[in-house]
Amino acid sequence: MEISPSILSADFGNLLSDIQKVETEKPEYLHIDIMDGHFVPNITIGPLVLNALKGKTEIPFDVHLMIEEPDKYIKEFVDAGAKNITVHQEACVHLDRTLQLIKSMGINASVALNPATSLDTLRYVLSSVDMVLIMTVNPGFGGQVFINGMYEKIRELASIRNERGLNFKIEVDGGINIDNIKDVVLAGADVIVAGSFIFANGDPGENLKKLREAALK
Ligand code: DX5
Ligand code: ZN
């Protein structure tokens, strides 16, 4: 299991310092949520902020684009240090083209599904993605409650991967904490995104450690 702390719930006035607090626990990725106020009802940050962090942390940037027309901005995010870019199936008219565009820039290409979107929509691209992100809340905000119906979706995706002999990772995003992380991993998740649990209360490094422990219990 890998962890991708989401900086959405970090203190943006002290962003680098919050990132350094999780760095000591060696998270595999740093999850960066990009929202445009159109695809989701919230606005966050853009490549400018990633550029400012680039080179100041060793943690690879796992960029989750919750934006319309992502193709327009992919190069900027790659230049700003993204090592993985995840686009939403619902935001891409030509999903295969968008995934190829990301790959052509030499980084990982991944796709996210909103809770209501079927796994069937990914059938013909699954063999060319590095990761599938299952949203376990409706995207747009941190601190929401995990939607229990998503366990089945994670299990189904893991079984499709197995049947087809594919090796993309399954990332799960939204409402994950020490009470449900183990079940999420047992359902088939490889990469766990956690925002509010890590950054909203107490020490982010300690919280990350607690999550890893809870997953192993
Ligand atoms: C929500 C974002 C998530 C968010 C998760 O749209 O994609 O990455 O930061 O936050 P928590 O862990 O608080 O649900
Ligand atoms: Zn996210």
Side-chain angles (χ1 to χ4, degrees), residues 4-9 31-35 40 42 64 66 88 133 135-146 172-177 193-198 200:
S4 192
S6 164
I7 59 168
L8 186 61
S9 293
H31 189 82
I32 306 180
D33 290 302
I34 311 296
M35 305 185 188
V40 287
N42 196 6
H64 179 189
M66 284 160 275
H88 267 261
L133 192 170
M135 287 304 304
T136 43
V137 297
N138 287 294
F141 303 93
Q144 302 181 83
V145 177
F146 186 97
V172 177
D173 185 4
I176 298 176
N177 55 47
V193 177
S196 54
F197 184 82
I198 292 178

Side-chain angles (χ1 to χ4, degrees), residues 144-146 151 174-184 192-198 207 210-212 214-215:
Q144 302 181 83
V145 177
F146 186 97
Y151 284 119
I176 298 176
N177 55 47
I178 46 170
D179 298 322
N180 59 18
I181 188 169
K182 182 152 194 197
D183 289 335
V184 174
I192 300 293
V193 177
S196 54
F197 184 82
I198 292 178
N207 292 339
K210 282 185 200 155
L211 267 182
R212 280 205 207 275

